[in-house]
Amino acid sequence: MRRKSGFDPYLALIVAVAQLVIAQGATWGQRLLREQLDPYAYALLLIGPLAILFRRRFPLLTVSVALAAMDLFLIGGYAYGPAFLSPGVLLFLLVTGGRRLMAWTMATMTVTSLLSYAWWVGNRDLFHSLSILAFILLFMVVAELVRIVRERRAERERILEEEARRQASEERLTMAQELHDVLAHNISLIHVQASTALHLIDANPEQARSALATIKTASKEVLGEMRSVLNVLREGAPRSPTAGLDRLDDLVQRSGMEVSLRRVGSRPLPPQVERAAYRIVQESLTNAARHAPGSRVTVRLEYGAAQLVIAVADTGATTPAVLSEEGSGNGIPGMRERASALGGTLVAGPSGDGFQVEARLPLPEENPT
């Protein structure tokens, strides 16, 4: 608001100079018909520009004062033209500032005063009266058009800002979901392997050593993933996909379970489908490690023409339940949300002695080129 109001003194100065310059030319051009300028005329010419300085605080009063100064200038017999500028500027600012009713009311009063003066001095020419009416009407229509253009531009800017905020919120939500999946998988894996190591450290040191090696790898992985996401949040750099099916073999090796991975077919996948598929497999392995430690897991990816089918099944727990604890319960809903976001489906439930997750993600038509 301060920056906008700071323009008013410059506008008032410009209008004052313009009115004085126009007054000199108009007076010379109408020297045989109108009165010469005197101190009273100069004072009237400066009232309108001074009113501009107070237009924000007293919008109606300032327009009325400028209009009265214009009427007194004309009644004094001075030249036509210069005194019209201040009321015109104030009316224009009223319209563009959103005070349309006040502006049109004052414009009507301006027309009334000009026509009244013309009839008072004996100029009852209908063409002259219509010219005054048409000019002021055209002036107000131009002001309305400027107001509409400004409002539409402001609306576009507001929509763009809201869209930018929405995209930023969606990106933060995606990052939070990615971070949740990474932490849930790796922390669960670390927990299961640590429990295994503690359980077997005396009876089977070699297997305990293998569990500790898996813990080291998983902890390094989770630190790397967290650093990647936090760097994006800190620097605002474009985020490259951190999870894709090309990393599925590493995920299987780090799971600490006996996992059989099978791919049926092959075709390029959109990045969002790759990321969702990777996270679904990751979360399924996390659930298997948490709730069915020691089970054998099969992962099957079937690349179809219209969809990608992901099936992850385990054979059920084969080690004591003390190695597993209940999780947060957000794994399956999170996987289902990922599938639904892409227009797909996800079904999870018991299968024999174990558990199975099956997701179907739609794929776009393949481009022959």
Side-chain angles (χ1 to χ4, degrees):
M1 178 61 71
R2 289 183 179 178
R3 185 169 57 185
K4 290 183 178 179
S5 61
F7 177 72
D8 289 348
Y10 299 101
L11 179 61
L13 179 61
I14 293 171
V15 172
V17 172
Q19 286 195 161
L20 293 176
V21 172
I22 294 173
Q24 296 293 333
T27 301
W28 185 86
Q30 303 172 38
R31 61 188 180 278
L32 300 179
L33 302 174
R34 311 296 292 177
E35 297 291 334
Q36 296 297 307
L37 295 174
D38 54 24
Y40 176 68
Y42 284 116
L44 292 176
L45 289 174
L46 293 176
I47 289 177
L50 289 175
I52 294 177
L53 296 175
F54 304 96
R55 68 179 183 87
R56 296 182 185 275
R57 185 174 297 181
F58 310 106
L60 180 60
L61 179 61
T62 52
V63 177
S64 301
V65 168
L67 181 58
M70 179 195 72
D71 290 337
L72 291 174
F73 190 86
L74 295 178
I75 293 173
Y78 302 109
Y80 287 104
F84 301 156
L85 186 58
S86 294
V89 169
L90 289 169
L91 286 175
F92 184 88
L93 293 174
L94 280 180
V95 173
T96 56
R99 302 177 183 269
R100 300 176 60 239
L101 179 59
M102 184 185 299
W104 280 96
T105 301
M106 297 309 296
T108 303
M109 293 180 62
T110 303
V111 172
T112 303
S113 63
L114 290 175
L115 293 180
S116 299
Y117 173 76
W119 280 60
W120 179 62
V121 297
N123 186 356
R124 301 184 180 183
D125 183 8
L126 181 61
F127 178 77
H128 178 267
S129 301
L130 291 176
S131 298
I132 293 176
L133 178 62
F135 176 79
I136 294 180
L137 182 61
L138 177 62
F139 177 82
M140 294 298 292
V141 168
V142 171
E144 289 283 1
L145 291 176
V146 172
R147 177 190 63 82
I148 292 172
V149 170
R150 287 184 177 179
E151 288 182 354
R152 287 183 177 178
R153 184 185 298 117
E155 181 67 15
R156 285 197 300 269
E157 292 176 356
R158 184 187 65 81
I159 292 174
L160 290 175
E161 289 177 0
E162 289 184 355
E163 181 67 17
R165 286 195 295 268
R166 185 187 64 79
Q167 291 179 354
S169 298
E170 290 181 354
E171 182 65 16
R172 286 193 293 269
L173 181 61
T174 301
M175 289 182 182
Q177 192 175 28
E178 292 283 317
L179 195 57
H180 167 269
D181 291 345
V182 170
L183 290 174
H185 172 74
N186 287 283
I187 298 302
S188 296
L189 179 60
I190 290 171
H191 169 74
V192 171
Q193 295 299 325
S195 300
T196 301
L198 287 174
H199 185 72
L200 300 175
I201 192 168
D202 294 326
N204 195 337
E206 287 303 319
Q207 192 171 349
R209 184 188 301 275
S210 176
L212 292 174
T214 302
I215 291 174
K216 178 182 178 182
T217 303
S219 61
K220 181 179 180 181
E221 174 74 13
V222 72
L223 287 174
E225 294 268 11
M226 288 181 61
R227 188 179 297 113
S228 174
V229 174
L230 293 177
N231 284 339
V232 171
L233 294 175
R234 184 182 299 113
E235 301 171 7
R239 184 162 57 95
S240 59
T242 58
L245 295 180
D246 57 330
R247 300 177 54 192
L248 206 54
D249 292 323
D250 294 336
L251 179 66
V252 167
Q253 291 178 4
R254 290 187 291 101
S255 66
M257 297 183 295
E258 184 181 345
V259 181
S260 172
L261 175 60
R262 183 183 178 190
R263 294 181 174 90
V264 179
S266 177
R267 60 164 292 184
L269 300 177
Q272 62 271 22
V273 175
E274 279 224 25
R275 186 164 56 247
Y278 179 91
R279 294 305 185 193
I280 289 173
V281 174
Q282 183 184 57
E283 184 62 33
S284 299
L285 293 178
T286 301
N287 288 341
R290 180 186 295 135
H291 302 293
S295 66
R296 294 190 304 275
V297 182
T298 58
V299 178
R300 175 186 172 90
L301 299 178
E302 184 176 338
Y303 297 79
Q307 64 180 0
L308 172 68
V309 180
I310 307 161
V312 182
D314 63 70
T315 58
T318 60
T319 56
V322 71
L323 298 181
S324 174
E325 293 182 5
E326 292 297 325
S328 63
N330 294 325
I332 292 176
M335 290 189 290
R336 189 171 287 117
E337 287 176 4
R338 284 186 178 275
S340 298
L342 297 174
T345 59
L346 185 138
V347 178
S351 176
D353 294 332
F355 196 83
Q356 177 172 317
V357 174
E358 182 177 283
R360 296 177 179 270
L361 306 180
L363 298 178
E365 224 177 286
E366 284 191 88
N367 189 343
T369 58

